[in-house]
Amino acid sequence: MTQASDYINAVAATVKQRDPNQPEFQEAVGNFLKTITPVFEKHPEYIKANLLARLTEPERALQFQVPWQDDSGKMQVNRGFRVQFNSAIGPYKGGLRFHPSVNLSIIKFLGFEQTFKNSLTGLPIGGGKGGSDFNPKGKSDAEIMRFCQSFMLELSKYIGPDMDVPAGDMGVGGREIGYLYGMYKRLKGSQNGILTGKGLTYGGSLARTEATGYGLLYYTSAMLKENGKELAGKKIVVSGAGNVAIYAIQKAQELGATVITASDSNGYVVDPNGIDVPKLQQIKEVQRGRMKDYAAIVPTAEYHEGSVWDADLQYDIALPCATQNEIDGKRAAGIIKAGAFAVAEGANMPSNPEAIAAYQDAGVLYGPAKAANAGGVAVSALEMGQNSRRNSDSFATVDGELKDIMETLFANSVAAADEYGVSGDYLAGANIAGFSKVAEAMMAQGW
Ligand code: NDP
Ligand code: 2IT
């Protein structure tokens, strides 16, 4: 036992003891702590500064009530959250998730991950996350609008272009950002740097909608290239059918791969010819329908109930783009049996610790979420830049910057892993590279 490993173990024990009822937060912190000891061995001054005590506790965690009126006239009340995790390198930045499962554990895990993800982008943004246990499914536009207005009435007290800049996540897309922004403007005046993922007519950035999915494929391409492989001709399984999944599928197919699946929380479709992206967009983005509806309009697609990770398929690459812990050890074994040689995460923490261990034992290339899905927040930071200088960049400019950012962050993860003697471990590399910048900033700013 070294001084560094004693320190890490003590931090892990404190988090367990302090937040016993926050399993997702415990899991995210655990995945990080498992890889970070070598940095503390090299930098004992980080132990003295007790950096991990500060990084495993949000700087601020807000919880508030969101009352709103449904279409029948009844008053409903949901929980709202904003966790401002770490501001060492810039204003808090991270999405808002509207999903019935949302609780403090989930928002804290997302905020913790976001801190290191945002650092990896190389841009000056701290980590934050928020959301609500509001379920947008089946709600009318008017209900969504009233909910968003009430949510912002409270959230507006805690955010600002140099303070905290939310964006979308699950259940929060262009429509919700529009309603949130409209309410903010009424309360505090026109300040479009307050949210990212905005519509193009009021300060949004071109390519933000596509950024997470496209970035995932730029990252995956870089990871494959590093290992003497390429995307062209590969068969891919994608989970999810939301913002991240749709643009991951589009970019994968543009780069010459065939994506044979897409899914939602009810079921999945398999189409050996490749998912038809315009039809998927029509069903998901215009009609707000289900994967079952997609199968009804695409003759080559077959619909099945259940999780795509339990399907008996053969493929080369898995891109989980739905939600946390969708892949456990058993499903990871299925992915390996299916012939996959690479997994890259579009969703946040889609693989549980047993799944990660299974990939690593089998020598499957593993691109962890905080690196592989950083393209969304990276383009959000570019949107903040465009808002500050009050102009906008072309699609090609933003997409080109996104590609550079993803390739650079992959290269930085590789270099960090090499420097600390864990070559080829892109999870450790991402954690070390992301942490190192945050740690230096915290040290420089004093105790
Ligand atoms: P969306 O709400 O647009 O889509 C989420 C998709 O995942 C839906 O198809 C949804 O199906 C499906 N899903 C949700 N829960 C489950 C479940 N338990 N089992 C199977 N499928 C499920 O969200 P996003 O695409 O924006 O986000 C997806 C993931 O990517 C999340 O982990 C998010 O945190 C992460 N992410 C998002 C970024 C962004 O910019 N949007 C950036 C980086 C990461 P259903 O309709 O049935 O709920
Ligand atoms: O998980 C994520 O990185 C996001 N949901 C995007 C956050 C953002 O601020 O664009």
Side-chain angles (χ1 to χ4, degrees), residues 60-75:
R60 194 173 294 108
L62 304 155
Q63 188 185 316
F64 48 92
Q65 65 165 266
V66 188
W68 58 282
Q69 193 178 26
D70 69 21
D71 285 346
S72 76
K74 194 171 161 217
M75 176 69 95

Side-chain angles (χ1 to χ4, degrees), residues 4 8 34-46 51 411-440:
I8 307 276
K34 269 181 219 158
T35 62
I36 210 72
T37 310
V39 184
F40 285 83
E41 272 161 1
K42 190 163 168 187
H43 291 282
E45 71 276 18
Y46 293 174
L51 290 189
N412 290 344
S413 306
V414 169
D418 289 348
E419 183 186 340
Y420 284 92
V422 285
S423 293
D425 183 340
Y426 306 133
L427 172 61
N431 284 340
I432 293 168
F435 170 71
S436 295
K437 182 177 170 187
V438 175
E440 274 176 46

Side-chain angles (χ1 to χ4, degrees), residues 97 137 169-171 208 212 241-244 265 290 322 346-348:
R97 176 178 292 191
K137 272 200 202 99
D169 191 80
M170 286 167 72
R208 174 61 188 89
T212 312
N243 173 262
V244 179
S265 55
R290 310 296 302 161
N348 283 309

Side-chain angles (χ1 to χ4, degrees), residues 173-372:
R175 172 181 61 171
E176 291 73 21
I177 294 291
Y179 295 149
L180 289 164
Y181 181 66
M183 189 62 181
Y184 185 88
K185 189 160 60 71
R186 292 182 68 192
L187 292 163
K188 302 222 170 180
S190 180
Q191 287 188 63
N192 61 12
I194 191 63
L195 287 168
T196 60
K198 295 182 295 293
L200 298 176
T201 50
Y202 61 97
S205 175
L206 284 160
R208 174 61 188 89
T209 303
E210 294 82 356
T212 312
Y214 280 21
L216 173 65
L217 271 297
Y218 297 146
Y219 179 96
T220 305
S221 297
M223 180 170 78
L224 263 51
K225 192 169 165 209
E226 171 81 9
N227 291 278
K229 298 183 191 298
E230 60 171 15
L231 269 172
K234 300 298 181 298
K235 222 191 254 188
I236 299 184
V237 161
V238 165
S239 65
N243 173 262
V244 179
I246 291 171
Y247 294 96
I249 296 170
Q250 187 180 68
K251 183 54 78 175
Q253 303 204 138
E254 199 184 300
L255 295 173
T258 305
V259 178
I260 59 169
T261 64
S263 70
D264 59 28
S265 55
N266 298 118
Y268 60 95
V269 297
V270 180
D271 188 340
N273 295 344
I275 297 294
D276 182 328
V277 174
K279 290 213 170 89
L280 183 61
Q281 287 175 302
Q282 174 63 29
I283 295 291
K284 300 305 297 182
E285 294 180 339
V286 182
Q287 290 170 229
R288 298 183 186 275
R290 310 296 302 161
M291 287 319 295
K292 204 177 186 163
D293 306 323
Y294 170 91
I297 60 164
V298 178
T300 48
E302 254 185 48
Y303 179 77
H304 305 268
E305 301 277 325
S307 167
V308 69
W309 305 119
D310 296 328
D312 186 14
L313 298 166
Q314 289 292 305
Y315 50 93
D316 306 301
I317 298 168
L319 302 177
C321 297
T323 192
Q324 67 274 356
N325 292 328
E326 55 179 296
I327 305 173
D328 59 12
K330 185 162 165 265
R331 288 177 175 171
I335 290 171
I336 295 160
K337 188 165 155 260
F341 65 82
V343 178
E345 298 178 331
N348 283 309
M349 205 169 74
S351 308
N352 83 356
E354 290 73 39
I356 297 171
Y359 309 145
Q360 290 175 333
D361 287 349
V364 169
L365 303 176
Y366 171 55
K370 65 170 71 68

